[in-house]
Amino acid sequence: MRIAVVGGGISGLVAAYRLRTTVGDDADIVVVERGRRVGGILYTGELAGEPVDLGAEAFVGRRPEVPALLRELGLAEQLVVPAGRRPLIWSGGSAHPMPDATLMGIPSTAESVRGLVDDETVAMIAEEPHRPFAWYPDADIDVYSLIASRFGAQVAERSVDPLLGGVYAGTSRSIGVRAAVPTLAAALDAGAPDLTAAVAAAMPPPSDAPVFGGIRDGYRVLLQALSERSRARILTETAVTRLARSTRGWVVDPIGAVDAVVLATPAPVTARLLRTVAPDAAAAAAGIELSSSVVVALSLPGDTALPDNSGVLVATGEPLRAKAFTLSSRKWPHLGARETALVRASFAKFGDPAPLSWSDDELIAAAAEDLATVTGIRIDPLEAVVQRWPGGLAQYAPGHLDRVAEIESGTADLDGLALAGAYLRGVGVPACVASGERAARRLAARFAPQR
């Protein structure tokens, strides 16, 4: 039995590992990755002689997938949680505490954003329940259109955009309500009389559990364990050029005939490979756009007086070049114990890929200058590293869930084919892990266990 996993990101590696545990030892599992390494946008580099994640650096800790996987792989001791400090929002040329009691930055009360927005906007939020409101079940609009019309543009640009920028490298104008805040859409579908009531209904219950989690020695620990435990043959720098049906099952060029395939590729690659075998699904996948970003990691003297916050998120419309800073040494206790201070700066978002073309020196200078602006302190990097992520994140635009439904229905009858990836049902690491698990289960169901 031969199974191809096309794409060596976290989704593909999880699929390969889970296939090994369910299908058995005799399967020939081949992971085909067009890049020079596996991991996709999970990448642990090195700065000041220590590991540092230069892609995703955290995961949603209240989802079970990553902690469960770490335990299964014998890596439970690698799980770390943040120190509990909150981020700031840079807006109007000054820093503001991130509002409490919000849903993806959408306030549940007017008072929660007082100071971040002007008094007129606070009044607009307070009287929102008294204005006529219409919502059509199953409709999907961009987040900006909903929030700006009910709570004002300042809420969208100063409170919501900074959070969406961190998750999707997009803005409220490029992301749909159903994909970004599904609980809010569900409350609206259920008949909430206004946006204020819908936010209140959609708020998660209070919890003392950490919102985020991380991996002490970086995501490379997880990627290495998955690669080794999958016992897959991993072919890097190998692009799949064609996918076709065959009498045996499938043909995956350039590796040849296989019994089954997991496509764990970005949406545009998936669209290209499905073009002849599932044209409707391919068309839907082709409609999913990608956003690019850049991470600049700075090593600073250990006594640098960084704010006692986890980071600084930048509101839309600010003259800064960076869109966010993670004050990693403040956010993560294990990083705070190092001799040098660590800060990550993020650049570029959907519709603004220009920073990818800047030189490393220009990006490092911009990161240091913008960090000095938002912290009010002198920034003297000891060392820096730049990581570009062209087309790294799918944009969950309005209608995204409909596109995903078309992709899934258009491939449902293709025996021996499964899809996985961040463009389907979540861009975060837990969602990608779940995606790889689902793909493996779909294929494993057609094979009898070999042990």
Side-chain angles (χ1 to χ4, degrees):
M1 180 194 318
R2 195 177 191 216
I3 304 173
V5 177
V6 185
I10 184 66
S11 301
L13 291 180
V14 168
Y17 166 69
R18 187 55 65 205
L19 281 165
R20 177 64 69 200
T21 64
T22 54
V23 175
D25 295 336
D26 294 336
D28 178 15
I29 301 173
V30 185
V31 175
V32 189
E33 166 56 44
R34 63 179 177 175
R36 298 176 61 184
R37 58 169 183 82
V38 295
I41 62 170
L42 300 185
Y43 173 55
T44 307
E46 189 172 284
L47 186 64
E50 301 273 8
V52 56
D53 278 317
L54 298 173
E57 52 97 34
F59 55 85
V60 176
R62 293 176 181 174
R63 287 190 58 153
E65 291 90 349
V66 177
L69 186 59
L70 290 172
R71 288 193 297 270
E72 183 177 341
L73 293 168
L75 298 173
E77 77 285 351
Q78 285 282 334
L79 180 64
V80 293
V81 297
R85 295 178 173 92
R86 292 181 61 79
L88 300 169
I89 293 180
W90 183 263
S91 177
S94 63
H96 305 262
M98 173 174 279
D100 290 317
T102 67
L103 181 71
M104 191 59 79
I106 306 169
S108 57
T109 68
E111 289 302 313
S112 66
V113 289
R114 185 179 292 279
L116 179 61
V117 300
D118 60 26
D119 291 343
E120 181 180 351
T121 300
V122 171
M124 182 178 182
I125 299 168
E127 62 88 27
E128 188 268 339
H130 307 292
R131 302 201 317 268
F133 178 70
W135 174 265
Y136 302 97
D138 299 326
D140 194 11
I141 60 174
D142 62 90
V143 175
Y144 181 89
S145 294
L146 175 63
I147 303 307
S149 66
R150 302 303 297 180
F151 286 169
Q154 289 185 5
V155 173
E157 294 170 352
R158 300 181 184 183
S159 186
V160 179
D161 276 356
L163 293 175
L164 289 178
V167 176
Y168 298 100
T171 70
S172 57
R173 296 177 185 270
S174 65
I175 303 299
V177 171
R178 291 193 177 279
V181 267
T183 56
L184 179 63
L188 292 168
D189 288 346
D194 48 68
L195 183 57
T196 300
V199 173
M203 290 287 290
S207 173
D208 293 331
V211 176
F212 297 108
I215 299 178
R216 186 187 62 213
D217 294 325
Y219 273 110
R220 67 183 180 187
V221 173
L222 175 59
L223 300 175
Q224 182 178 349
L226 289 170
S227 299
E228 292 176 352
R229 295 280 290 275
S230 72
R231 300 191 300 283
R233 291 191 294 125
I234 297 177
L235 307 178
T236 56
E237 298 184 271
T238 304
V240 171
T241 56
R242 184 176 71 104
L243 176 69
R245 302 295 298 273
S246 74
T247 54
R248 171 175 171 175
W250 294 89
V251 174
V252 178
D253 288 340
I255 68 170
V258 297
D259 297 284
V261 184
V262 175
L263 285 187
T265 46
V269 178
T270 303
R272 175 174 59 80
L273 294 176
L274 290 178
R275 192 164 50 226
T276 58
V277 297
D280 291 342
I288 299 174
E289 297 185 273
L290 304 181
S291 182
S292 301
S293 62
V294 181
V295 172
V296 179
L298 304 175
S299 176
L300 308 175
D303 60 356
T304 303
L306 295 171
D308 194 26
N309 298 93
S310 62
V312 183
L313 309 178
V314 180
T316 295
E318 295 299 308
L320 299 181
R321 290 151 294 184
K323 67 179 182 182
F325 296 93
T326 302
L327 306 180
S328 304
S329 296
R330 297 284 191 255
K331 181 175 180 178
W332 300 102
H334 69 290
L335 297 180
R338 294 183 179 179
E339 293 183 0
T340 60
L342 176 63
V343 175
R344 291 174 20 129
S346 300
F347 294 84
K349 61 177 64 174
F350 185 69
D352 179 27
L356 271 75
S357 66
W358 301 351
S359 69
D360 286 4
D361 287 345
E362 288 172 325
L363 285 162
I364 293 166
E369 292 165 9
D370 285 359
L371 181 59
T373 296
V374 302
T375 61
I377 61 176
R378 181 182 176 88
I379 299 297
D380 295 307
L382 301 173
E383 191 178 337
V385 62
V386 175
Q387 179 65 48
R388 293 169 176 80
W389 296 110
L393 284 173
Q395 289 299 284
Y396 281 32
H400 179 78
L401 298 184
D402 291 335
R403 292 186 187 90
V404 171
E406 291 177 29
I407 295 167
E408 292 175 340
S409 65
T411 56
D413 294 333
L414 296 178
D415 189 36
L417 176 71
L419 306 180
Y423 69 94
L424 291 168
R425 298 188 179 275
V427 298
V429 178
C432 290
V433 171
S435 175
E437 295 269 4
R438 283 194 301 271
R441 286 196 301 270
R442 173 176 163 87
L443 294 190
R446 73 188 297 267
F447 298 114
Q450 300 298 301
R451 54 178 173 172

